[in-house]
């Protein structure tokens, strides 16, 4: 259900002020320390950020897809590490339960996720199953009224902080593809769950990932998302979750591009060469114009797809189009932002090189650009 327009405007105003006044000044510190200060996480919790897209019935703000997109664009205007802290609770870490979970599962976990009292992670990727997610090998063997999980998940966002994992595991041990996979809710404290060391990444310092290892982890049969009715249906849950996640990430890409454009315009106005601000030169203006046109195109795509999703349309292909275009767009925008900043663009103190590294991930996670191309191509040929 859509928010009252005044309430939405006030929420966007609050988020914008929080980003500008609290988060932007901390970007360099977070990059250097690889930690988001606890006081900021508390403030984000108080502002309701952990439950943006979680239904109001469970204590969240219940934003529609269109509203979530507007908030995600605002949040995209600062280092992605801040959004990542609560990103999994709103997206891939909670939507599996919200979309396909039983009432009991929703009542047990979703209010705690919305309040930011539990952190959740999405465990799909494995060492040998990245883009080919359907080939995952983690197994869940039924024994009495329990399932026994074994396997390793890789590059799991927020895993070092997570209390709850949505784990995709093979329940039909004779199958090899997407069919035969189920989704489970596994608590960190369960015996047999352990974590690898934190990954060292190219960028997005302050956002943490690591392996999650399941060694004979016994979960009750009630941990199967959606119960027995969803046995061997977990891959579809993962795909539905990613439909929404890909739109959210696309919106974050738009916000990051808007930030990079604003920084580049400011620099082009201030920086003087050949006796004039470089912004007066048409070659600089051409780069800015390309950045703006592409960013605006991505914004329009993402907003339109959000409206279609809210209207109940199937947006699987459209979400892939958004993810493909917006993530590639922000890569080109970041590259031009470095170019406009010249030598300063290559230096850490200006922050542009940090954004350049940070946005590189958007073309990879929640489905690479090539997976989006594959999905779009398949949808077109299938529909032809
Ligand atoms: N919504 C609902 N159901 C969906 C769906 C969606 N968006 N996408 C696929 N499904 C269903 C299919 O209809 C199919 O159902 P049936 O078995 O009833 O026919 C089932 O799920 C399997 O789908 P599919 O046949 O497409 O499986 P594939 O193994 O061919 O999937 C891709 C291949 C590439 C699409 C998939 O592995 C993928 O998305 N990979 C990228 C994974 C990813 O994004 N990883 C990022 C890590 S998470 S941060």
């Amino acid at each position: 259900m859509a928010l009252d327009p005044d309430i939405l405007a006030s929420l966007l105003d609050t988020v914008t002020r929080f980003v500008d006044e609290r988060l932007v000044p901390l970007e360099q510190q977070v990059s250097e320390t690889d930690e988001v200060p606890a006081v900021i996480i508390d403030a984000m919790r108080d502002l309701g950020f952990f439950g943006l897209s979680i239904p109001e019935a469970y204590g969240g703000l219940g934003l529609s897809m269109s509203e979530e997109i507007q908030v995600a664009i605002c949040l995209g205007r600062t280092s992605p590490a801040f959004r990542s802290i609560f990103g999994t609770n709103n997206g891939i870490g909670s939507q599996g339960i919200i979309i396909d979970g039983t009432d009991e599962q929703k009542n047990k976990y979703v209010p705690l996720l919305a309040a930011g009292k539990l952190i959740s992670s999405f465990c799909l990727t494995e060492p040998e199953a990245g883009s080919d997610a359907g080939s995952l090998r983690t197994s869940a063997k039924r024994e009495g009224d329990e399932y026994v999980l074994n396997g390793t998940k890789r590059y799991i966002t927020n895993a070092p902080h997570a209390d709850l994992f949505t784990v995709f595991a093979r329940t039909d041990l004779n199958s090899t593809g997407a069919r035969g996979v189920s989704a489970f809710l596994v608590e960190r404290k369960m015996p047999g769950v352990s974590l690898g060391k934190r990954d060292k990444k190219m960028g997005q310092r302050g956002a943490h990932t690591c392996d999650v290892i399941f060694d004979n982890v016994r979960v009750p049969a009630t941990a199967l998302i959606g119960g027995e009715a969803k046995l061997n249906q977990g891959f579809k849950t993962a795909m539905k979750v990613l439909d929404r996640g890909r739109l959210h990430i696309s919106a974050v890409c738009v916000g990051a591009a808007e930030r990079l454009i604003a920084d580049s315009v400011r620099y082009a106005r201030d920086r003087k060469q050949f006796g004039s601000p470089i912004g007066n030169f048409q070659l600089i203006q051409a780069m800015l114009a390309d950045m703006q046109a592409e960013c605006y195109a991505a914004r329009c795509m993402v907003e339109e797809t959000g409206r279609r999703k809210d209207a109940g349309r199937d947006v699987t292909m459209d979400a892939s189009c958004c993810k493909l275009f917006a993530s590639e767009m922000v890569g080109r925008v970041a590259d031009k932002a470095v170019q406009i900043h010249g030598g300063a663009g290559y230096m850490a103190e200006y922050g542009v090189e940090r954004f350049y590294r940070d946005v590189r991930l958007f073309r990879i996670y929640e489905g690479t650009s090539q997976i989006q191309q594959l999905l779009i191509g398949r949808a077109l040929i299938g529909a032809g």
Side-chain angles (χ1 to χ4, degrees):
M1 212 178 68
L3 287 182
D4 175 273
D6 289 341
I7 296 177
L8 178 63
S10 152
L11 173 66
L12 293 175
D13 184 53
T14 303
V15 176
T16 301
R17 275 192 288 116
F18 185 71
V19 166
D20 291 345
E21 293 168 14
R22 305 282 307 275
L23 304 186
V24 171
L26 282 174
E27 288 173 355
Q28 194 62 21
Q29 177 189 319
V30 168
S31 169
E32 281 163 13
T33 60
D34 197 18
E35 294 292 342
V36 174
V39 57
I40 290 294
I41 299 175
D42 290 343
M44 295 195 296
R45 199 177 281 119
D46 292 345
L47 286 166
F49 285 3
F50 284 84
L52 291 169
S53 61
I54 292 178
E56 283 173 286
Y58 300 102
L61 295 183
L63 300 187
S64 66
M65 193 70 233
S66 297
E67 292 161 350
E68 183 182 331
I69 283 169
Q70 294 306 321
V71 173
I73 291 175
C74 293
L75 293 165
R77 296 194 190 113
T78 185
S79 292
F82 295 115
R83 187 210 60 91
S84 189
I85 304 268
F86 54 85
T88 48
N89 273 36
N90 283 293
I92 55 180
S94 67
Q95 291 298 326
I97 317 175
I98 293 170
I99 296 171
D100 280 335
T102 61
D103 285 343
E104 193 192 354
Q105 289 165 344
K106 291 180 195 175
N107 290 331
K108 181 171 179 189
Y109 293 115
V110 181
L112 297 171
L113 294 172
K117 290 182 181 161
L118 276 188
I119 300 290
S120 59
S121 281
F122 182 78
C123 296
L124 178 65
T125 300
E126 298 182 357
E128 301 300 329
S131 287
D132 185 9
S135 71
L136 63 85
R137 290 188 199 158
T138 294
S139 61
K141 199 172 162 202
R142 179 92 192 212
E143 284 187 12
D145 55 3
E146 291 179 328
Y147 283 92
V148 185
L149 273 72
N150 279 290
T152 297
K153 297 293 181 175
R154 181 139 293 175
Y155 309 142
I156 305 304
T157 301
N158 277 339
H161 312 291
D163 309 283
L164 179 68
F165 299 102
T166 299
V167 183
F168 296 89
R170 193 163 295 287
T171 31
D172 177 355
L173 302 178
N174 296 318
S175 71
T176 50
R179 293 187 187 91
V181 170
S182 303
F184 292 90
L185 293 166
V186 182
E187 295 178 14
R188 167 71 182 91
K189 62 176 190 263
M190 285 173 166
V193 179
S194 62
L195 302 178
K197 63 178 181 348
R198 276 190 201 176
D199 300 313
K200 288 186 182 162
K201 310 190 301 314
M202 173 191 277
Q204 301 220 0
R205 284 172 63 78
H208 305 137
T209 64
C210 70
D211 280 5
V212 186
I213 301 124
F214 302 93
D215 181 12
N216 282 320
V217 178
R218 291 187 168 271
V219 299
T222 52
L224 173 62
I225 290 188
E228 288 300 304
K230 292 285 178 191
L231 182 68
N232 297 331
Q233 302 292 312
F235 193 76
K236 289 183 195 176
T237 303
M239 293 299 114
K240 285 184 267 185
V241 168
L242 288 172
D243 278 351
R244 190 179 182 110
R246 287 168 182 165
L247 264 179
H248 181 101
I249 296 297
S250 306
V252 174
C253 291
V254 171
E258 290 183 354
R259 163 71 184 276
L260 285 158
I261 293 168
D263 286 0
S264 300
V265 166
R266 193 178 319 111
Y267 188 80
R269 284 188 181 134
D270 290 348
R271 171 75 172 162
K272 289 197 177 69
Q273 287 293 280
F274 305 104
S276 163
I278 61 169
N280 288 341
F281 299 125
Q282 289 185 335
L283 291 179
I284 297 287
Q285 288 179 13
M287 282 193 274
L288 289 170
D290 285 349
M291 292 156 82
Q292 178 61 23
E294 287 203 85
C295 179
Y296 181 53
R299 185 187 251 275
C300 293
M301 283 174 85
V302 176
E303 290 179 344
E304 172 60 12
T305 307
R307 281 191 288 271
R308 288 187 196 194
K309 186 160 177 48
D310 287 336
R313 307 257 298 261
D314 174 0
V315 296
T316 296
M317 183 180 79
D318 301 336
S320 285
C321 291
C322 289
K323 171 72 164 55
L324 172 64
F325 185 76
S327 64
E328 295 283 337
M329 173 279 295
V330 74
R332 290 189 293 268
V333 165
D335 187 70
K336 289 192 177 80
V338 171
Q339 196 67 13
I340 289 169
H341 282 76
Y346 201 69
M347 299 302 154
E349 68 177 286
Y350 288 84
V352 182
E353 68 84 35
R354 188 187 64 238
F355 259 97
Y356 179 84
R357 288 181 288 107
D358 284 351
V359 302
R360 188 63 183 82
L361 183 60
F362 296 138
R363 288 153 66 187
I364 298 172
Y365 75 175
E366 299 205 20
T368 62
S369 291
Q370 289 66 36
I371 287 296
Q372 310 312 328
Q373 288 173 314
L374 187 150
L375 286 168
I376 298 162
R378 218 161 64 163
L380 290 173
I381 295 295

